């Protein structure tokens, strides 16, 4: 009985014992049964209890239903990345005492965690994830269990850059009990981060269909962009560049600053891969300027900016090393081990201590990338170490790093 739950909440909220609330109205045993919905109760008794608590039951039931609806709308707004709407609903929810009922505790906490991940508040997200980690499956509804998997997946994907763990959580989601198909986008991004291009494209396309269905223009652009990224290994550089600039124009038309920053970063990488270093550094700088330094994606654009400037060869080593120091400081303050390793390699490379560069790469960075499942980095630096030991004529070590690259291209052909 909803009335009983509301009475229990306000009794505990006001610090009353059951005997204090029931004094002159009914026994504490009867209060206990009312709160647990175990007995029929007259409207008159409810009225007396509400008067003592200073509440109006009809109004509180209306508030309860409104909270249910607002939580649903809040999650939908986060999925669509409608920041003003997200903030507005958060303020509305904070005006309801009933939000703190046990009925809403798990769902509200999970959506609040998504909110902090959405706005890039790492410290607040970390705190909530620590609280959530103590929950058991039996505490949650099937929907909340799936939402928990989604939140954990997004947390490890966007904040911890642990793509293997993120993928494990996301693959556990059962859409029969969780109709939020936005998760296809996060699944695609995890596969992309692990350099599994076919699965990334496949899931991004499913996400695109969902975002089209719910008419979320900003997410349509993100899904299209993720699909374009999977085609970057093709040699059709001009067409891909045109696609990126088409999407950038769309973000400008609709004022989608977050998506524009993402596109700046990705088109910069396209130019970097094709040795157009001046264009690459320019777009990486635009991506950096569009974000706060605390944003999780800022470090990636800063690293790309340093890489493009280094390869272009027109920026002084002093300036580049200053940028590297900034990157190291930001990486350490945000506990991003991945970028600590990458910026350390930039430091050794720019300082021209190449023996230390290769030693650090082999002993610290490469094992970390391998442990985390960063296949793109593992493949790239495996080739770097292979070439290094071939030049040193150390065939034993060269062969050790050649294995993974050879295995990637091994085919189960049945030729003689």
């Amino acid at each position: 009985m909803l009335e009983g739950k509301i009475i229990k909440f306000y009794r505990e909220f006001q610090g009353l014992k059951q005997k204090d609330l029931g004094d002159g109205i009914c026994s504490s045993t009867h209060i206990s049964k009312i709160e647990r919905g175990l007995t029929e109760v007259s409207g008159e008794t409810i009225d007396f209890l509400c008067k003592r608590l200073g509440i109006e039951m009809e109004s509180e039931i209306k508030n309860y239903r409104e909270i249910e609806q607002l939580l649903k709308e809040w999650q939908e707004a986060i999925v669509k990345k409608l920041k003003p709407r997200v903030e507005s609903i958060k303020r509305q929810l904070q005006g309801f005492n009933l939000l703190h009922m046990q009925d809403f505790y798990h769902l509200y906490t999970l959506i609040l965690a998504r909110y902090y991940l959405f706005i890039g508040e790492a410290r607040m997200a970390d705190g909530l994830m620590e609280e959530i980690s103590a929950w058991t499956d039996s505490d949650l509804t099937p929907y909340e269990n799936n939402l928990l998997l989604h939140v954990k997946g997004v947390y490890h994907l966007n904040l911890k850059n642990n793509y293997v763990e993120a993928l494990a959580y996301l693959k556990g989601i059962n859409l029969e009990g969780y109709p939020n198909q936005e998760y296809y986008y996060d699944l695609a991004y995890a596969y992309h981060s692990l350099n599994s291009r076919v699965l990334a494209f496949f899931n991004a396309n499913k996400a695109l269909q969902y975002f089209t269905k719910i008419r979320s223009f900003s997410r349509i652009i993100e899904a299209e962009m993720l699909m374009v990224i999977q085609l970057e290994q093709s040699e059709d550089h001009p067409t891909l560049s045109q696609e990126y600039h088409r999407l950038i124009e769309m973000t400008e038309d609709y004022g989608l600053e977050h998506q524009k920053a993402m596109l700046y970063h990705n088109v910069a990488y396209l130019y970097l891969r094709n040795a157009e270093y001046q264009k690459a550094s320019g777009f990486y700088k635009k991506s950096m300027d569009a974000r706060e330094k605390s944003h999780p994606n800022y470090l990636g654009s800063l690293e790309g900016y340093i890489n493009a400037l280094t390869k272009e060869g027109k920026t002084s080593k002093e300036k580049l090393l200053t940028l590297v120091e900034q990157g190291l400081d930001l990486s350490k303050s945000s506990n991003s081990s991945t970028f600590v390793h990458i910026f350390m390699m930039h430091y050794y490379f720019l300082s021209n201590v190449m023996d230390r560069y290769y030693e650090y790469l082999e002993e610290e960075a490469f094992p970390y990338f391998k442990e985390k499942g960063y296949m793109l980095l593992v493949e790239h630096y495996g080739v770097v170490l292979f070439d290094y030991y071939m030049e040193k004529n150390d065939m034993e070590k060269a062969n050790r790093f050649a294995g993974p690259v050879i295995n990637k291209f091994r085919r189960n052909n049945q030729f003689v």
Side-chain angles (χ1 to χ4, degrees), residues 358 361 379-395 397-399 401-402 405:
Y358 287 110
L361 171 57
E379 290 168 9
H380 172 77
Y381 287 112
V383 173
V384 169
L385 289 167
F386 171 78
D387 289 343
Y388 172 67
Y389 283 113
M390 284 294 287
E391 287 180 13
K392 292 176 72 72
N393 203 29
D394 188 337
M395 301 304 295
K397 284 194 172 182
N399 287 335
F401 292 105
V405 179

Side-chain angles (χ1 to χ4, degrees), residues 173-403:
I173 292 172
N174 179 2
L175 284 180
E176 289 183 10
Y178 185 69
N180 179 14
Q181 295 180 42
E182 175 211 18
Y183 111 100
Y184 283 124
Y185 177 85
D186 299 312
L187 199 58
Y189 192 81
Y191 279 123
H192 159 69
S193 302
L194 294 168
N195 202 28
S196 183
R197 293 181 179 275
V198 174
L199 286 170
F201 188 94
F202 173 77
N203 283 285
N205 189 39
K206 294 184 87 168
L208 176 61
Q209 294 173 41
Y210 175 66
F211 295 144
T212 302
K213 180 181 176 182
I214 65 173
R215 300 180 181 179
S216 176
F217 189 71
S218 63
R219 302 309 306 273
I220 288 171
I221 289 175
E222 289 183 13
E224 281 198 46
M225 174 174 59
L226 194 51
M227 292 169 72
V228 172
I229 293 171
Q230 308 319 309
L231 303 176
E232 284 187 354
Q233 295 298 328
S234 76
E235 299 302 318
D236 194 0
H237 168 220
T239 299
L240 293 174
S241 176
Q242 287 171 14
E243 282 297 296
Y244 276 127
H245 285 286
R246 175 182 67 83
L247 292 171
I248 288 170
E249 286 180 10
M250 291 168 71
T251 62
E252 290 170 345
D253 290 341
Y254 291 90
L256 302 170
E257 296 302 316
H258 170 70
Q259 288 77 13
K260 183 163 67 173
M262 292 171 66
L263 285 161
Y264 282 154
H265 177 94
N266 290 326
V267 76
Y269 182 66
L270 179 66
Y271 286 129
L272 183 67
R273 287 187 66 250
N274 287 275
E276 297 184 58
Y277 302 126
Q278 187 174 3
K279 285 184 179 180
S281 63
F283 278 103
Y284 276 129
K285 185 67 167 60
K286 285 185 175 184
S287 180
M288 290 161 57
D289 291 343
R291 302 187 189 281
E292 297 293 332
K293 289 185 178 180
S294 59
H295 194 281
N297 293 341
Y298 182 88
L299 282 172
S301 295
L302 174 59
E303 192 278 327
Y305 182 59
I306 293 169
N307 201 4
L309 290 177
T310 301
K311 286 179 164 58
E312 187 184 14
K314 295 181 180 180
T315 304
S316 69
K317 283 190 177 180
E318 290 75 16
K319 181 177 179 180
L320 290 170
L321 284 168
T322 298
L323 290 170
V324 169
E325 291 290 348
Q326 291 175 11
L328 276 170
D329 289 342
L330 286 171
S331 301
K332 290 172 182 176
S333 65
S334 62
N335 296 316
S336 177
S337 300
T338 302
F339 281 106
V340 167
H341 286 310
I342 292 174
F343 283 116
M344 281 303 302
M345 288 192 292
H346 275 294
Y347 175 79
Y348 292 129
F349 183 85
L350 290 166
S351 300
N352 201 29
V353 284
M354 298 310 295
D355 285 346
R356 179 61 184 132
Y357 170 89
Y358 287 110
E359 179 185 8
Y360 183 89
L361 171 57
E362 181 178 357
E363 295 180 3
E364 299 190 47
F366 189 80
Y368 174 83
F369 299 149
K370 200 170 181 180
E371 176 193 350
K372 294 298 182 182
Y374 300 164
M375 295 313 298
L376 195 60
L377 293 174
V378 169
E379 290 168 9
H380 172 77
Y381 287 112
V383 173
V384 169
L385 289 167
F386 171 78
D387 289 343
Y388 172 67
Y389 283 113
M390 284 294 287
E391 287 180 13
K392 292 176 72 72
N393 203 29
D394 188 337
M395 301 304 295
E396 182 181 347
K397 284 194 172 182
N399 287 335
R400 189 198 316 163
F401 292 105

Side-chain angles (χ1 to χ4, degrees), residues 2 5-6 60-76 85 89 92-93 96 98-105 107-108 111 141 143-144:
L2 184 52
K5 290 182 178 182
I6 292 171
E60 294 301 329
I61 290 176
K62 181 181 177 183
N63 289 343
Y64 184 98
R65 300 303 180 201
E66 189 169 351
I67 291 169
E68 286 183 317
Q69 183 61 29
L70 283 172
L71 286 173
K72 180 181 177 183
E73 292 176 6
W74 196 27
Q75 187 174 8
E76 289 173 353
R85 177 68 175 148
I89 294 174
Q92 286 178 262
L93 283 166
F96 291 101
L98 289 181
L99 181 63
H100 303 286
M101 283 181 69
Q102 189 63 28
D103 289 31
F104 300 121
Y105 166 66
L107 183 58
Y108 173 68
I111 301 175
T141 66
Y143 180 86
E144 289 166 348

Side-chain angles (χ1 to χ4, degrees), residues 104-155:
F104 300 121
Y105 166 66
H106 292 114
L107 183 58
Y108 173 68
T109 304
L110 287 167
I111 301 175
L112 186 62
R114 285 259 8 220
Y115 166 77
Y116 286 127
L117 290 167
F118 169 56
I119 64 172
E121 277 284 352
R123 184 176 61 84
M124 298 300 291
D126 283 335
L128 284 179
M129 294 308 295
E130 186 175 345
E131 178 183 345
I132 286 168
S133 65
W135 297 355
T136 62
D137 290 353
S138 60
D139 296 329
L140 308 175
T141 66
Y143 180 86
E144 289 166 348
N145 265 310
N146 282 292
L147 178 55
L148 174 61
L149 290 170
H150 197 173
V151 169
K152 285 181 175 180
V154 172
Y155 175 74

